[in-house]
């Protein structure tokens, strides 16, 4: 048995041939010098940043599990003409990384509503519910009242900070809505989508809560296209609402770059407006369509969305200082997305594994899904992908089990952190720990008192709330 295994392994290695890689990597000095440079940096982290965080930024890659992060890194490098594996994402440069356990109170594999309640409101909740504790039951209107929990955006606003939401999904989608709504069903986008009994019992749809729960929304400067957004003078705008598409934003790969802003452009404007507040700000940024790409089995769309979010992380880093801004990058949950197959160094991330299946003698792509719409059997056999455009934008990678929508995954996701008290994100943590760290670092919410300065002025400023909400219209107008 052992001998057989060894032989198989050698055959696999033999089939790799001689992948190309930079000549310098053959010299041990190259790796030793690189590691020593990294070590020197790591040693400087002994001086922990214990400043009070003035600003808080959370980048949430919806569905951005660890395999997605690695694949996006390779894609980013390959888009820059490199082999990709050695590339550093912006999030890779963050000094502290931990793992977040994503399960919902009633679900091993979670959804985006229950998880949003965890990383925004600080408590785990049932899947499908927003801004309510686990005592609330999905779709049961009468379990809402008394079970509402508030989000860190409210804590920040109550402490005099400006708050903003930027997302590539519709503005009443699961992630952004946990910031301002309390709703037992994430699908209650508008009154049109609610059961009559729930409406009669006094439950409110999410769009209505957007307008009722976000203060001064009527004062918002409204923009609906990129030209308007980019021609704003941030010094003259305190409240901003930008809705650029009738539903979700278009995938970045297919975006109309004349009319719609990129996620990076939205983040740029949002930070320039929010940072005018001397008390600081909280900004939620969602790369919301990484998740949609995966659900559709379209890995190329998902990975380009992740690369664009990484670009936005880089932009935010240029506009803020780690001295006073705690920035966290994480995901709500993973997906059943994988890449493997002993691909050689520099293999295009959308390419084939360098071998044929030893069962059906057909090639296979490195990227595969555990389930989803890419399941394909032709004449009773697995599709031969060499005849199809598997590098196309909308190619649906093969899946083991047919499903109309590929599912979330249940494993932990990464949390990258930099700035004041980033080191509190260090091991394996429950997902609802994240807003507690952020609130503690900024002395807001339940943690207002712990760092009351002698001047004691933090949190006493008049509310100066700015909303940089981006997206959606039709859903709101129902
Ligand atoms: C709440 O509503 C559900 C139906 O949605 C009903 O079965 C249940 O009895 C109600 N509970 C209370 C306490 O009224
Ligand atoms: C953007 O909106 C403005 C104001 O409504 C309009 O005049 C302009 O034509 C729009 N531009 C694009 C590219 O849609
Ligand atoms: C798969 O398709 C390629 C190209 O069309 C062909 O050369 C190969 O023989 C096919 N393999 C099988 C097992 O059908
Ligand atoms: Zn999803």
């Amino acid at each position: 048995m052992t001998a057989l295994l060894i032989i198989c392994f050698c055959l696999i290695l033999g089939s790799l041939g001689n992948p190309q890689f930079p000549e310098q990597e053959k010299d041990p000095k190259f790796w030793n010098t690189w590691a020593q440079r990294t070590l020197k940096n790591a040693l400087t982290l002994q001086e922990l940043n214990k400043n009070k965080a003035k600003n808080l930024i959370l980048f949430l890659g919806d569905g951005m599990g660890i395999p997605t992060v690695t694949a996006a890194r390779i894609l980013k490098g390959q888009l820059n003409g490199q082999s990709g594996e050695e590339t550093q994402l912006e999030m890779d440069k963050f000094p502290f990384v931990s793992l977040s356990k994503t399960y919902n109170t009633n679900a091993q594999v979670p959804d985006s509503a229950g998880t949003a309640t965890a990383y925004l409101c600080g408590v785990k909740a049932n899947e499908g519910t927003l801004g309510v504790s686990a005592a609330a039951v999905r779709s049961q209107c009468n379990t809402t009242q008394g079970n509402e929990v508030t989000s860190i955006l409210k804590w920040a606003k109550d402490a005099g900070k400006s708050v903003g939401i930027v997302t590539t999904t519709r503005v009443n989608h699961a992630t952004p809505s946990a910031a301002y709504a309390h709703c037992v069903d994430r699908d209650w986008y508008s009154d049109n989508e609610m059961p009559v009994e729930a409406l009669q019992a006094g439950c409110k749809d999410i769009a209505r809560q957007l307008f009722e729960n976000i203060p001064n929304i009527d004062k918002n400067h409204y923009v609906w296209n990129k030209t308007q957004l980019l021609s704003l003078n941030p010094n003259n705008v305190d409240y901003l609402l930008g809705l650029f598409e009738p539903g979700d934003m278009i995938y970045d790969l297919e975006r109309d770059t004349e009319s719609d802003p990129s996620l990076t452009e939205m983040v740029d404007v949002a930070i320039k407006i929010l940072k005018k507040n001397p008390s600081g700000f909280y900004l939620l940024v969602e790369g919301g369509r990484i998740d949609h790409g995966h659900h559709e089995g379209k890995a190329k769309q998902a990975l380009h969305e992740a690369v664009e979010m990484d670009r936005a992380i880089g932009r935010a880093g240029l506009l803020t200082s780690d001295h006073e801004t705690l920035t966290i990058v994480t995901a709500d949950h993973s997906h059943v997305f994988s890449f493997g197959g002993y691909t050689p160094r520099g293999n295009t991330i959308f390419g084939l594994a360098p071998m044929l299946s030893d069962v059906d003698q057909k090639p296979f792509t490195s990227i595969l899904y555990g389930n989803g719409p890419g399941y394909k059997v032709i004449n009773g056999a697995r599709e031969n992908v060499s005849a199809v455009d598997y590098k196309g934008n909308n190619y649906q990678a093969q899946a083991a089990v047919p499903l109309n929508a590929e599912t979330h995954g249940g494993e932990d996701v990464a949390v990258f952190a930099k700035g004041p008290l980033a080191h509190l994100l260090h091991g394996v943590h429950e997902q609802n720990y994240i807003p507690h760290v952020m609130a503690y670092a900024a002395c807001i919410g339940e943690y207002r008192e712990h760092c009351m300065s002698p001047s004691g002025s933090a949190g006493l400023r008049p509310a100066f709330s700015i909303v940089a909400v981006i997206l959606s219209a039709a859903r709101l107008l129902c």
Side-chain angles (χ1 to χ4, degrees), residues 90-123:
E90 293 298 334
M91 63 186 101
D92 292 342
K93 299 174 188 166
F94 284 32
F96 295 96
V97 180
S98 68
L99 291 179
S100 158
K101 296 163 67 180
T102 64
Y103 67 93
N104 295 147
T105 41
N106 65 344
Q108 187 173 69
V109 176
D111 94 312
S112 293
T115 52
T117 306
Y119 62 76
L120 290 175
C121 305
V123 300

Side-chain angles (χ1 to χ4, degrees), residues 62-63 111-112 173 186 291-292 295 332-333 335 406 408:
D62 196 317
D111 94 312
S112 293
H173 203 255
R186 60 176 289 176
D291 182 66
H292 296 175
H295 280 307
D332 45 1
H333 56 74
H335 271 269
E406 176 265 7
H408 296 171

Side-chain angles (χ1 to χ4, degrees), residues 60 71 82 105 130-131 175 191 197 212 231 288 310 338 353 378 412 439:
L60 193 286
Q82 295 152 355
T105 41
L130 294 163
T175 298
D191 53 357
E197 314 81 70
E212 290 185 355
S231 59
D310 192 62
S338 69
I378 292 175
D412 298 348

Side-chain angles (χ1 to χ4, degrees), residues 138-143 197:
R138 184 171 189 169
S139 308
Q140 286 200 18
C141 171
N142 62 8
T143 63
E197 314 81 70

